[in-house]
Amino acid sequence: MQTLEKIDYVFKVVVIGDSAVGKTQLLGRFTKDEFCIDSKSTIGVEFQTRTLTIKNKVIKAQIWDTAGQERYRAVTSAYYRGALGAMLVYDVTKRQTFDHVARWVDELRAHADTSIVIMLVGNKADLVDLRTIPTEDAIEFAEEQELFFSETSALNGDNVEKAFFRLLEEIHGVV
Ligand code: GDP
Ligand code: MG
């Protein structure tokens, strides 16, 4: 049960990236610690929250999901409005989703606040035999673009907490 706590900050974080890279599952893993086996494409749900403490401050992370709009390149500027952080997700087994990361960075630079903290996330790291994107390639890109970087598995939970906490701590350092 959650006690009535004073919330010091609300941090809006957007999750972006191509369709089917695991955005919704990452969100479910972080906010509910679950992986939904037959997940359908996201419909309707706008955001989920998790309240946590960073450096003695109570932070409500309000994490927004694209609701399937990524398919039509229709993520609107309202989605980015007020966002302090972004999780930019690709699938380590799908080259195209990594190739599109640059386009998503452009989207962020065009629509989001200039101080937005961006975490590049290579998801599905559990699919070891199907990997097509070497970690080093992503690290290189992240350094060039000044993004934080992590590889995760929403399926087994590896690094999911770590990636979200890292992003939230960084936002905390910026605000
Ligand atoms: P979204 O379109 O980016 O929101 O992607 P979803 O979260 O709906 O996930 C797309 C598909 O990838 C689903 O079939 C998930 O079960 C699967 N998936 C998501 N994350 C992982 C992961 O970390 N590992 C594996 N093996 N599959 C995943
Ligand atoms: Mg989704």
Coordinates of all heavy atoms in Angstrom, one line a residue, residues 107-140:
E107 N 13.4 14.4 -34.3 CA 12.1 14.7 -33.8 C 12.2 15.3 -32.5 O 11.5 16.3 -32.2 CB 11.3 13.4 -33.7 CG 10.7 12.8 -34.9 CD 9.4 13.5 -35.2 OE1 8.4 13.3 -34.5 OE2 9.4 14.2 -36.3
L108 N 13.0 14.8 -31.6 CA 13.1 15.3 -30.3 C 13.7 16.7 -30.3 O 13.2 17.6 -29.6 CB 14.0 14.4 -29.4 CG 13.4 13.2 -28.9 CD1 14.5 12.3 -28.2 CD2 12.4 13.5 -27.8
R109 N 14.7 16.9 -31.1 CA 15.4 18.2 -31.2 C 14.4 19.2 -31.8 O 14.5 20.4 -31.4 CB 16.7 18.2 -32.1 CG 17.7 17.1 -31.6 CD 18.7 17.6 -30.6 NE 19.7 16.6 -30.4 CZ 20.1 16.1 -29.2 NH1 19.5 16.5 -28.1 NH2 21.1 15.3 -29.1
A110 N 13.5 18.8 -32.6 CA 12.5 19.7 -33.2 C 11.4 20.0 -32.3 O 10.9 21.2 -32.3 CB 12.0 19.1 -34.5
H111 N 10.9 19.1 -31.5 CA 9.7 19.3 -30.8 C 9.8 19.4 -29.3 O 9.0 19.9 -28.6 CB 8.7 18.1 -31.1 CG 8.3 18.0 -32.5 ND1 7.5 19.0 -33.1 CD2 8.5 17.1 -33.5 CE1 7.3 18.7 -34.4 NE2 7.9 17.5 -34.6
A112 N 10.9 18.8 -28.7 CA 11.0 18.8 -27.3 C 11.9 19.9 -26.8 O 12.5 20.6 -27.6 CB 11.6 17.4 -26.8
D113 N 11.8 20.1 -25.5 CA 12.7 21.2 -24.9 C 14.1 20.9 -25.1 O 14.6 19.7 -25.2 CB 12.4 21.1 -23.4 CG 12.7 22.5 -22.7 OD1 13.9 22.7 -22.4 OD2 11.8 23.3 -22.6
T114 N 14.9 21.9 -25.3 CA 16.3 21.7 -25.7 C 17.1 21.0 -24.5 O 18.1 20.3 -24.8 CB 17.1 23.0 -26.0 OG1 16.8 23.9 -24.9 CG2 16.6 23.6 -27.3
S115 N 16.6 21.1 -23.3 CA 17.4 20.5 -22.2 C 16.9 19.1 -21.9 O 17.4 18.5 -20.9 CB 17.2 21.4 -20.9 OG 15.8 21.4 -20.6
I116 N 16.1 18.5 -22.8 CA 15.6 17.2 -22.5 C 16.7 16.2 -22.4 O 17.7 16.2 -23.2 CB 14.6 16.7 -23.6 CG1 13.8 15.5 -23.2 CG2 15.3 16.5 -25.0 CD1 12.6 15.2 -24.0
V117 N 16.6 15.3 -21.5 CA 17.7 14.2 -21.3 C 17.2 13.0 -22.0 O 16.1 12.5 -21.9 CB 17.8 13.9 -19.8 CG1 18.9 12.8 -19.6 CG2 18.1 15.1 -18.9
I118 N 18.1 12.5 -22.9 CA 17.8 11.4 -23.7 C 18.6 10.1 -23.4 O 19.8 10.2 -23.3 CB 18.0 11.7 -25.2 CG1 17.3 13.0 -25.6 CG2 17.5 10.6 -26.1 CD1 17.6 13.6 -27.0
M119 N 17.9 9.0 -23.2 CA 18.5 7.8 -22.9 C 18.2 6.9 -24.1 O 17.1 6.5 -24.4 CB 17.9 7.1 -21.7 CG 18.2 5.7 -21.4 SD 19.9 5.4 -20.9 CE 19.9 6.0 -19.2
L120 N 19.3 6.5 -24.9 CA 19.1 5.5 -26.0 C 19.1 4.1 -25.4 O 19.9 3.8 -24.5 CB 20.3 5.7 -26.9 CG 20.4 4.7 -28.1 CD1 19.2 4.9 -29.1 CD2 21.7 4.9 -28.9
V121 N 18.1 3.3 -25.7 CA 17.9 2.0 -25.2 C 17.8 0.9 -26.2 O 17.0 1.0 -27.1 CB 16.6 2.0 -24.3 CG1 16.4 0.6 -23.8 CG2 16.7 3.0 -23.2
G122 N 18.8 0.0 -26.2 CA 18.8 -1.2 -27.1 C 18.0 -2.3 -26.3 O 18.6 -2.9 -25.4
N123 N 16.8 -2.5 -26.7 CA 16.0 -3.5 -26.0 C 16.0 -4.9 -26.7 O 16.5 -5.0 -27.8 CB 14.5 -3.0 -25.9 CG 13.7 -3.8 -25.0 OD1 14.1 -4.3 -23.9 ND2 12.4 -4.2 -25.5
K124 N 15.5 -5.9 -26.0 CA 15.5 -7.3 -26.4 C 16.9 -7.9 -26.4 O 17.3 -8.8 -27.2 CB 14.9 -7.5 -27.8 CG 13.5 -6.8 -27.9 CD 12.7 -7.4 -29.1 CE 11.4 -6.6 -29.2 NZ 10.5 -7.0 -30.4
A125 N 17.7 -7.4 -25.4 CA 19.1 -7.9 -25.3 C 19.1 -9.4 -24.9 O 20.1 -10.1 -25.0 CB 19.9 -7.1 -24.3
D126 N 18.0 -9.9 -24.5 CA 17.9 -11.4 -24.2 C 18.0 -12.2 -25.4 O 18.3 -13.4 -25.3 CB 16.6 -11.7 -23.4 CG 15.3 -11.2 -24.2 OD1 15.1 -10.0 -24.2 OD2 14.7 -12.0 -24.8
L127 N 17.7 -11.7 -26.6 CA 17.7 -12.5 -27.8 C 19.1 -12.5 -28.4 O 19.4 -12.0 -29.5 CB 16.7 -11.9 -28.8 CG 15.2 -11.8 -28.4 CD1 14.4 -11.1 -29.5 CD2 14.7 -13.3 -28.2
V128 N 20.0 -13.1 -27.6 CA 21.4 -13.1 -27.9 C 21.8 -13.6 -29.3 O 22.6 -13.0 -30.0 CB 22.2 -14.0 -26.8 CG1 23.7 -14.0 -27.1 CG2 21.9 -13.4 -25.4
D129 N 21.1 -14.7 -29.7 CA 21.5 -15.3 -31.1 C 20.9 -14.5 -32.2 O 21.3 -14.7 -33.4 CB 20.9 -16.7 -31.1 CG 21.5 -17.6 -30.1 OD1 22.7 -17.3 -29.6 OD2 20.9 -18.6 -29.7
L130 N 20.0 -13.6 -32.0 CA 19.4 -12.8 -33.1 C 19.9 -11.4 -33.1 O 19.5 -10.6 -34.0 CB 17.8 -12.7 -32.8 CG 17.1 -14.1 -32.9 CD1 15.6 -13.9 -32.6 CD2 17.2 -14.7 -34.3
R131 N 20.8 -11.1 -32.3 CA 21.3 -9.7 -32.2 C 22.0 -9.3 -33.6 O 22.7 -10.1 -34.1 CB 22.4 -9.6 -31.1 CG 23.0 -8.2 -31.1 CD 24.2 -8.2 -30.2 NE 23.8 -8.1 -28.8 CZ 23.6 -7.0 -28.1 NH1 23.7 -5.8 -28.7 NH2 23.3 -7.1 -26.8
T132 N 21.7 -8.1 -34.1 CA 22.3 -7.6 -35.3 C 23.0 -6.3 -35.0 O 23.9 -5.9 -35.8 CB 21.3 -7.4 -36.4 OG1 20.3 -6.5 -36.0 CG2 20.7 -8.7 -36.9
I133 N 22.7 -5.6 -33.9 CA 23.4 -4.3 -33.6 C 24.4 -4.5 -32.5 O 24.0 -4.8 -31.3 CB 22.4 -3.3 -33.2 CG1 21.1 -3.2 -34.1 CG2 23.0 -1.9 -33.0 CD1 21.4 -2.8 -35.5
P134 N 25.7 -4.4 -32.9 CA 26.7 -4.6 -31.8 C 26.6 -3.4 -30.8 O 26.3 -2.3 -31.2 CB 28.0 -4.5 -32.6 CG 27.7 -4.6 -34.0 CD 26.3 -4.2 -34.2
T135 N 26.9 -3.7 -29.6 CA 26.8 -2.7 -28.5 C 27.7 -1.5 -28.8 O 27.3 -0.4 -28.6 CB 27.3 -3.3 -27.2 OG1 26.5 -4.5 -26.9 CG2 27.1 -2.4 -26.0
E136 N 28.9 -1.8 -29.4 CA 29.9 -0.7 -29.7 C 29.3 0.3 -30.7 O 29.6 1.5 -30.6 CB 31.2 -1.3 -30.3 CG 31.9 -2.3 -29.4 CD 31.2 -3.7 -29.4 OE1 30.9 -4.2 -30.5 OE2 30.9 -4.2 -28.3
D137 N 28.5 -0.2 -31.7 CA 27.9 0.8 -32.6 C 27.0 1.8 -32.0 O 27.0 3.0 -32.3 CB 27.1 0.0 -33.7 CG 28.0 -0.8 -34.6 OD1 29.2 -1.0 -34.3 OD2 27.5 -1.3 -35.7
A138 N 26.2 1.2 -31.0 CA 25.3 2.1 -30.3 C 26.0 3.0 -29.4 O 25.6 4.2 -29.3 CB 24.3 1.2 -29.5
I139 N 27.1 2.5 -28.7 CA 27.8 3.4 -27.8 C 28.4 4.6 -28.6 O 28.4 5.7 -28.2 CB 29.0 2.6 -27.1 CG1 28.4 1.7 -26.1 CG2 30.0 3.6 -26.5 CD1 29.3 0.8 -25.4
E140 N 28.9 4.3 -29.8 CA 29.6 5.3 -30.7 C 28.5 6.4 -31.0 O 28.8 7.6 -30.9 CB 30.1 4.6 -31.9 CG 31.1 5.5 -32.7 CD 31.6 4.8 -34.0 OE1 31.8 3.6 -33.9 OE2 31.7 5.5 -35.0

